[in-house]
Amino acid sequence: MGNAIQGFIQYLHNTKKSSGNTEVSYERDLRKLSQFLSDQGIEDITQVTATNLNSYMLYLERKRFAPSTVSRSVASIRAFFQYLVKIQEISENPSEGLHPPKVEKKMPEILTVEEVDLLLAQPNAGTPKGMRDRAMLELLYATGIRVSELVHLVLSDVNLSLGFLTCHESGKERIIPFGSVAKRALQTYLAEARPGFVTEESGELLFTNCSGKMMSRQGFWKILKSYASAAGIQADITPHTLRHSFATHLLQNGADLKSLQEMLGHSDISTTQMYVNMSVNKIRDVYLKAHPRK
């Protein structure tokens, strides 16, 4: 089954142009399924039945995996077996009857403008690490890029004179502007801090960790969490929090949905629509709290 999984991941990468995060998630889900089937004595992909897959779903539920995790596993398994049918590795799809559990959609945490200002003021601008951290946080909030995109940026992706950066994902490029505050933070970091971080190994990377290597998403999350704690922010901050806040604040200040979709890199505008709903809900909450005849 391992070879079939590897072939599927290559198909996602080469044909579907999937993101690296998607490929990692699919492979992780399918490796778990493969181990479960192997424990049941099933090694050949053609032997897998709908009963086997339903048993795996029950196994995940007994292990108390979150509904969102089970739902993602169902999506991975269905995509995998659809691929196997497509390449005629199997004649019937045993995953057709799989249905994901209902997952209650939790609206992402959004910081207020005041909370963002407080968060971005936390790095010590008098130290190289503080300069680096301030530049990363300012750039995230200024552009709404993903943390995975941030840590992969190289020097040539940033045009300081015109105030924009270029993101590359799955063979596609998108150009996102940034303002004067992020520009000044970047200029300070590049002139005074970056030379002390980069090594021959890290080359053209815009940001690195303190060892001069590419920063991980987990590493950035720890940095973000520490500054949120220092700022006294109670929200459950994740690496995506500044991206969500960026999108919501832009819409609240009059940005149009199509432009926001392009900046965020959403292939489907319905994904971007989520932020409109969040803005409406926020306005409703403010109204209900403030209007004397609510």
Side-chain angles (χ1 to χ4, degrees):
M1 189 167 171
N3 290 337
I5 293 173
Q6 199 57 46
F8 174 59
I9 300 303
Q10 290 174 356
Y11 166 75
L12 291 177
H13 184 80
N14 298 327
T15 304
K16 290 295 187 178
K17 306 298 182 184
S18 300
S19 69
N21 287 340
T22 297
E23 292 166 17
V24 169
S25 295
Y26 274 42
E27 183 168 10
R28 181 173 58 241
D29 291 340
L30 294 173
R31 294 292 179 192
K32 288 180 180 177
L33 170 64
S34 178
Q35 183 60 58
F36 173 82
L37 293 174
S38 179
D39 292 343
Q40 307 299 311
I42 300 171
E43 303 287 350
D44 190 335
I45 197 67
T46 61
Q47 297 176 319
V48 180
T49 66
T51 301
N52 298 141
L53 297 181
N54 283 319
S55 295
Y56 181 60
M57 292 298 106
L58 291 172
Y59 164 79
L60 293 179
E61 291 174 11
R62 283 199 304 271
K63 290 292 184 179
R64 299 189 179 277
F65 282 96
S68 57
T69 301
V70 178
S71 182
R72 193 197 63 213
S73 294
V74 169
S76 300
I77 291 167
R78 293 188 67 171
F80 177 56
F81 282 98
Q82 286 166 5
Y83 157 78
L84 294 176
V85 171
K86 181 181 179 70
I87 65 170
Q88 299 183 337
E89 186 73 23
I90 57 176
S91 58
E92 294 185 5
N93 186 346
S95 71
E96 284 185 345
L98 285 185
H99 298 289
K102 288 187 177 181
V103 179
E104 182 180 347
K105 286 191 176 180
K106 182 182 178 183
M107 297 303 281
E109 197 73 59
I110 301 296
L111 299 181
T112 64
V113 174
E114 293 74 21
E115 286 175 326
V116 170
D117 288 340
L118 192 57
L119 175 67
L120 300 188
Q122 295 309 308
N124 181 354
T127 66
K129 182 179 181 300
M131 293 177 198
R132 181 203 65 185
D133 295 350
R134 170 75 60 82
M136 286 193 299
L137 292 172
E138 289 284 2
L139 197 59
L140 270 187
Y141 180 60
T143 61
I145 61 174
R146 303 172 180 87
V147 174
S148 56
E149 294 170 329
L150 176 78
V151 299
H152 281 90
L153 287 174
V154 295
L155 288 174
S156 59
D157 290 330
V158 180
N159 188 319
L160 273 177
S161 60
L162 296 181
F164 70 82
L165 60 81
T166 304
C167 271
H168 311 267
E169 184 188 20
S170 302
K172 300 176 183 177
E173 287 187 354
R174 72 182 194 279
I175 295 174
I176 311 144
F178 56 82
S180 59
V181 179
K183 180 178 179 177
R184 287 194 297 271
L186 274 171
Q187 287 173 324
T188 300
Y189 162 69
L190 289 170
E192 302 181 32
R194 183 178 177 275
F197 284 103
V198 296
T199 63
E200 187 175 337
E201 180 184 351
S202 51
E204 294 296 300
L205 282 174
L206 180 60
F207 299 111
T208 70
N209 61 22
C210 293
S211 300
K213 298 178 181 179
M214 179 180 287
M215 184 176 294
S216 66
R217 292 177 72 254
Q218 292 77 11
F220 178 82
W221 195 349
K222 289 180 181 178
I223 292 171
L224 183 63
K225 285 277 192 181
S226 67
Y227 288 130
S229 176
I233 295 173
Q234 301 300 314
D236 184 18
I237 287 184
T238 73
H240 242 43
T241 300
L242 286 176
R243 177 173 166 87
H244 293 317
S245 302
F246 159 86
T248 304
H249 295 167
L250 277 187
L251 282 176
Q252 289 173 347
N253 285 283
D256 66 276
L257 202 60
K258 184 64 177 176
S259 296
L260 182 59
Q261 177 193 5
E262 292 178 6
M263 284 185 278
L264 292 173
H266 290 159
S267 57
D268 190 335
I269 200 166
S270 64
T271 306
T272 320
Q273 184 74 35
M274 169 186 71
Y275 296 107
V276 175
N277 299 334
M278 290 169 64
S279 296
V280 170
N281 290 338
K282 177 67 175 176
I283 292 169
R284 184 185 295 114
D285 289 343
V286 170
Y287 176 88
L288 291 174
K289 288 177 182 177
H291 198 285
R293 296 175 72 87
K294 52 182 176 284

